[in-house]
Amino acid sequence: MALTWTKLVFLRRLGCRWSPLSVAAQHLCNDANIQIAEEVAKLLELKAQIGDVGTNQKFILKTPKGTRDYNPKQMAIREGVFKTIVDSFKRHGAETLDTPVFELKETLTGKYGEDSKLIYDLKDQGGELLSLRYDLTVPFARYLAMNKINRIKRYHIAKVYRRDNPAMTRGRYREFYQCDFDIAGQYDPMIPDAECVKIVHEILTNLGLGDFVIKVNHREILDGMFEVCGVPADKFRTICSSVDKLDKTFWEDVREEMIEEKGLDPATADNIGQYVKMNGGLELVEQLLQDPLLPTSKAAKQGLEGMRTLLKYCQIFGVLDKVSFDLSLARGLDYYTGVIYEAVLKGSEMLPTKTGEQVGVGSVAGGGRYDGLVGMFDPKGKQVPCVGVSIGIERVFSIMEAKAQAKAEKIRTTETDVLVASGQRDMLEERLKLCTELWDAGIKAEMIYKKNPKMLNQFQLAETTGIPLIAVIGEAELKNGTVTLRNMETRAEEQIPRADLISVIKERCRQISSS
């Protein structure tokens, strides 16, 4: 006989546990005890399955799916990449800011189209429904609206989270960094947009990733194309999401998705196919402006005229040779309203790793104009036009790491300039004093943490870690008021007066860094 908790409480109030009951009531109490025992047994079994303390189940040490650890060599590569990117952002006048790693769920809801299913939701931990940030653009728009900011040029480097199917060898993770550059404010058309393209060109060139192309398109051109091809207005965004897959799959597959899954008329899909296979430069813009169908759409005509202006500015910036006007570029995020762009490497999509695997890479940068996003957060709907670009740092890093492994490059994991050493006994305190002098002067120095280390071991440490200079101190040096400074690359040694040591080391470091 089943017994609910309500019945159990009622029976206890009747004195079920402490006073005689009717036979029926006693049966109910017995059933209750049996049910409680069964539930307790189930809970104990569940705790054992999830590895509760006291069980013998083996614990597997691993990072969560779609994440990874980075060792010192990998971090050294990452820091070099970050520096190149940040230097470019700063060169173009950007200032930096930061936002929380999680946002109110309602802040992120409805901003990413079909990708919204990839947002990580958090349990209610304090009266608020929260989600991990999916990108850095929506939090930036929220920040602008909340702080009533109408104009800013900013960069933001931080982690974002996507509940995606990871592809680790392709630089696709669930937790990863984004490096964003955005220009917010009302300006003349296409000037900030072209500068974003210039920044992408600059960063990819300075990183030395190989040949690349920056694809550009315009959401108004896409909308106009869908309009003249016969796509219902309520299907613009979902069909745009299908077109966005053309960089990963064939047109036939995209066409099938449009027709079979999204209910598009086959003739309409074929009309779209004629356009999305086109790419080129200024000549393609002029060709499409003379197209018998496309310019009949007001949106498409405005988009083509804007594209003409963008490409002319790219020509002035000296980057037009790497820019391709590509009508297959769609970018599925709902918030884009104007120019969109994506940078893809050419000819080096597959790189061998040390384990023999192949590293494949998709786009390494992307972005566009999103003039309506800030207004979605402003109580009065005030618009702040914005355009920005995001560097796909994890994919860039995958390439840089693979190249370093293939070339067997020696990577320094520290920036130590000087190793303080001694080949004689009882020099620990003197080495500590010399280290202190160097540290206080802003010089990066270290020493072996042993009282009487062997000189050979100290040389080997400097050799293996790439420390360029060794400052040797011994009884003779103390007597003469000097330090022996050894260049690890040339093996040259010189006696430096102790009073001049700081200035000499700084000069030697400048010479080494410039060589």
Side-chain angles (χ1 to χ4, degrees), residues 349-481:
E349 287 81 6
M350 302 301 291
L351 293 169
T353 65
K354 190 163 56 177
T355 60
E357 298 176 348
Q358 298 288 306
V359 174
V361 179
S363 64
V364 292
R369 176 160 288 280
Y370 51 101
D371 288 347
L373 190 56
V374 177
M376 297 175 70
F377 298 110
D378 189 89
K380 297 181 180 179
K382 182 180 178 181
Q383 302 292 337
V384 179
C386 297
V387 64
V389 63
S390 180
I391 307 298
I393 186 66
E394 304 299 343
R395 291 179 174 178
V396 169
F397 171 65
S398 294
I399 300 168
M400 301 292 283
E401 184 182 9
K403 284 188 173 183
Q405 289 178 352
K407 295 179 181 178
E409 292 180 357
K410 188 174 182 180
I411 300 170
R412 286 198 66 187
T413 57
T414 72
E415 297 182 2
T416 305
D417 293 320
V418 184
L419 179 70
V420 175
S422 179
Q424 297 175 343
R425 299 180 64 82
D426 301 325
M427 285 290 159
L428 173 60
E429 292 186 4
E430 296 302 328
R431 285 189 291 136
L432 291 172
K433 290 177 183 177
L434 184 52
C435 275
T436 302
E437 288 181 32
L438 298 178
W439 291 332
D440 290 348
I443 294 172
K444 299 166 185 173
E446 62 175 302
M447 55 174 272
I448 288 182
Y449 299 143
K450 291 190 71 174
K451 190 173 182 180
N452 297 303
K454 294 180 180 179
M455 197 66 201
L456 179 60
N457 292 343
Q458 295 170 92
F459 282 158
Q460 286 178 339
L461 175 64
E463 184 74 32
T464 56
T465 58
I467 299 174
L469 300 173
I470 294 184
V472 182
I473 189 167
E475 292 179 358
E477 284 83 5
L478 290 175
K479 181 179 179 180
N480 297 328

Side-chain angles (χ1 to χ4, degrees), residues 187-395:
Y187 300 99
D188 287 341
M190 295 299 168
I191 299 174
D193 309 65
E195 185 173 8
C196 286
V197 176
K198 168 66 174 174
I199 288 170
V200 173
H201 182 284
E202 194 174 280
I203 289 171
L204 296 183
T205 301
N206 292 339
L207 287 174
L209 298 176
D211 197 13
F212 60 90
V213 60
I214 304 173
K215 300 178 182 180
V216 297
N217 201 358
H218 201 294
R219 286 304 279 264
E220 287 187 336
I221 297 175
L222 283 167
D223 287 349
M225 178 182 69
F226 295 148
E227 178 187 342
V228 300
C229 288
V231 178
D234 61 347
K235 288 190 176 182
F236 277 15
R237 287 297 169 258
T238 185
I239 296 303
C240 188
S241 178
S242 295
V243 173
D244 189 42
K245 298 176 182 177
L246 281 171
D247 64 333
K248 306 178 187 70
T249 187
F250 300 105
W251 162 249
E252 290 74 15
D253 298 326
V254 171
R255 180 182 183 276
E256 182 180 354
E257 179 183 299
M258 289 178 175
I259 297 169
E260 300 297 329
E261 297 182 21
K262 299 185 177 179
L264 196 65
D265 181 81
T268 301
D270 291 336
N271 290 336
I272 294 172
Q274 294 178 7
Y275 286 109
V276 297
K277 295 174 184 177
M278 295 181 177
N279 63 79
L282 281 166
E283 75 287 346
L284 179 58
V285 175
E286 301 303 332
Q287 176 188 331
L288 291 173
L289 282 169
Q290 301 303 316
D291 186 82
L293 193 61
L294 198 57
T296 61
S297 165
K298 182 180 178 181
K301 187 174 182 180
Q302 288 183 176
L304 287 168
E305 290 172 349
M307 184 59 60
R308 176 198 280 158
T309 303
L310 175 75
L311 294 178
K312 285 183 178 178
Y313 291 161
C314 287
Q315 189 172 31
I316 294 170
F317 282 148
V319 301
L320 188 60
D321 61 319
K322 297 293 186 183
V323 176
S324 172
F325 171 33
D326 193 324
L327 281 109
S328 70
L329 179 63
R331 297 195 65 82
L333 298 180
D334 274 8
Y335 52 63
Y336 288 125
T337 59
V339 170
I340 51 177
Y341 32 76
E342 190 167 83
V344 181
L345 295 185
K346 294 171 61 178
S348 58
E349 287 81 6
M350 302 301 291
L351 293 169
T353 65
K354 190 163 56 177
T355 60
E357 298 176 348
Q358 298 288 306
V359 174
V361 179
S363 64
V364 292
R369 176 160 288 280
Y370 51 101
D371 288 347
L373 190 56
V374 177
M376 297 175 70
F377 298 110
D378 189 89
K380 297 181 180 179
K382 182 180 178 181
Q383 302 292 337
V384 179
C386 297
V387 64
V389 63
S390 180
I391 307 298
I393 186 66
E394 304 299 343
R395 291 179 174 178

Side-chain angles (χ1 to χ4, degrees), residues 5-175:
W5 284 109
T6 305
K7 291 179 181 178
L8 182 58
V9 171
F10 174 73
L11 290 172
R12 285 180 174 172
R13 287 178 178 174
L14 290 176
C16 173
R17 185 172 293 178
W18 303 283
S19 61
L21 294 170
S22 66
V23 173
Q26 289 176 5
H27 281 307
L28 286 172
C29 284
N30 290 336
D31 286 344
N33 291 332
I34 293 171
Q35 186 174 352
I36 291 170
E38 289 175 349
E39 293 299 325
V40 170
K42 288 179 182 178
L43 287 172
L44 291 173
E45 183 181 358
L46 180 61
K47 290 172 75 177
Q49 289 175 355
I50 63 175
D52 189 34
V53 177
T55 67
N56 294 323
Q57 184 173 345
K58 186 177 180 181
F59 179 69
I60 300 175
L61 277 175
K62 63 184 288 292
T63 57
K65 184 179 179 182
T67 65
R68 64 178 294 190
D69 295 321
Y70 294 92
N71 63 41
K73 288 186 177 180
Q74 293 168 330
M75 285 303 300
I77 295 173
R78 288 174 71 87
E79 288 180 354
V81 172
F82 280 138
K83 184 179 185 305
T84 299
I85 294 171
V86 171
D87 285 349
S88 181
F89 290 164
K90 289 183 176 180
R91 190 158 44 245
H92 288 263
E95 51 194 337
T96 190
L97 55 82
D98 196 10
T99 61
V101 72
F102 46 79
E103 296 275 350
L104 294 177
K105 183 177 180 179
E106 62 191 47
T107 298
L108 306 183
T109 301
K111 311 301 189 302
Y112 303 104
E114 294 185 5
D115 285 347
S116 291
K117 62 181 180 293
L118 303 181
I119 295 174
Y120 271 111
D121 290 332
L122 302 177
K123 289 185 177 180
D124 179 5
Q125 296 291 337
E128 295 180 328
L129 294 177
L130 307 173
S131 297
L132 293 176
R133 61 188 174 200
Y134 179 87
D135 66 3
L136 301 178
T137 306
V138 171
F140 174 56
R142 187 266 306 155
Y143 174 85
L144 294 180
M146 194 173 82
N147 292 280
K148 309 298 182 186
I149 296 173
N150 298 321
R151 180 173 292 190
I152 189 173
K153 186 187 291 186
R154 82 87 165 89
Y155 74 90
H156 188 186
I157 298 178
K159 286 184 176 181
V160 298
Y161 300 85
R162 298 186 181 179
R163 194 165 49 86
D164 204 350
N165 289 322
M168 306 291 274
T169 58
R170 292 182 62 85
R172 191 181 185 94
Y173 302 92
R174 288 181 167 180
E175 176 195 63

